[in-house]
Amino acid sequence: LDWEIIRNIVSAGYKVFLYGVNLSKRNSSNNIFIEGPFSQRVLIDRIRDCAAIILPYRTDTDWMKGVLPAKIYECLATGKPVLSSDLPNYSVDLKQLLYICKKPWEFVEILDGLEQLENKEKKQKRINYAKRYSSDMQIEKLTDLILKYAAKK
C-alpha cells in the first residue's frame, strides 16, 4: 500500500475507503476510512457506492515485480473504473482496461477527469474481460483440456 498515493487523493478532497486491509485504525483520519474485512456481499454493496476502485500499490519493492493481484479481476467485474499503480505483470490487454498511474499525482488527475473519460462501452469491456477469468470459465477451460487429452489416449 502506497500511503503517498492515498494522501494525494485525500488532499484533493476525495474520501478513501480501505476495505479488508490489515491496518490498524490509527491510520484512519479525515477522509481515510479503514473498514472490514466484510463478507463478499457486504463488500459488493460498499463498492457499488464508490466512484472508482483504487489499487495504490508500492512499486519500489522487488517482491512487487512478480505480483498480479487476484483481486484485479473482481475489481474489473464491478465495471467500475480501476486506477492502479503500474505493476510489471499487467498484460497489455489488462493495461487497456485499467487507468495506470505511474506517479501518485496521476491518480488525482484521473479521478478529476473520470466523468469525461468514462462511458458504457469501457464499463462493459471491463466486465466482459473479468468474465473470461471467472472460476466457471477457468473450470470450463480445464475440462476442455482434460477431454482433449483423454481423447488422444
Side-chain angles (χ1 to χ4, degrees), residues 83-97:
L83 288 70
S84 178
S85 302
D86 189 14
L87 298 181
N89 278 354
Y90 285 157
S91 68
V92 172
D93 288 346
L94 195 52
K95 284 187 174 191
Q96 291 175 356
L97 300 170

Side-chain angles (χ1 to χ4, degrees), residues 94-152:
L94 195 52
K95 284 187 174 191
Q96 291 175 356
L97 300 170
L98 303 171
Y99 291 98
I100 299 295
C101 304
K102 295 180 187 232
K103 301 287 183 191
W105 55 266
E106 290 176 350
F107 284 84
V108 173
E109 189 175 84
I110 291 169
L111 286 170
D112 286 346
L114 269 182
E115 208 169 291
Q116 290 77 35
L117 294 168
E118 276 298 299
N119 58 49
K120 290 179 183 178
E121 181 183 337
K122 286 182 178 182
K123 178 179 180 175
Q124 195 58 52
K125 280 184 179 181
R126 288 189 289 266
I127 292 169
N128 292 342
Y129 187 85
K131 284 180 183 177
R132 291 177 25 203
Y133 293 94
S134 70
S135 297
D136 290 343
M137 287 302 295
Q138 296 306 309
I139 290 170
E140 188 176 315
K141 288 177 188 177
L142 185 57
T143 302
D144 287 347
L145 285 173
I146 292 169
L147 292 174
K148 285 178 187 176
Y149 180 77
K152 289 182 181 180

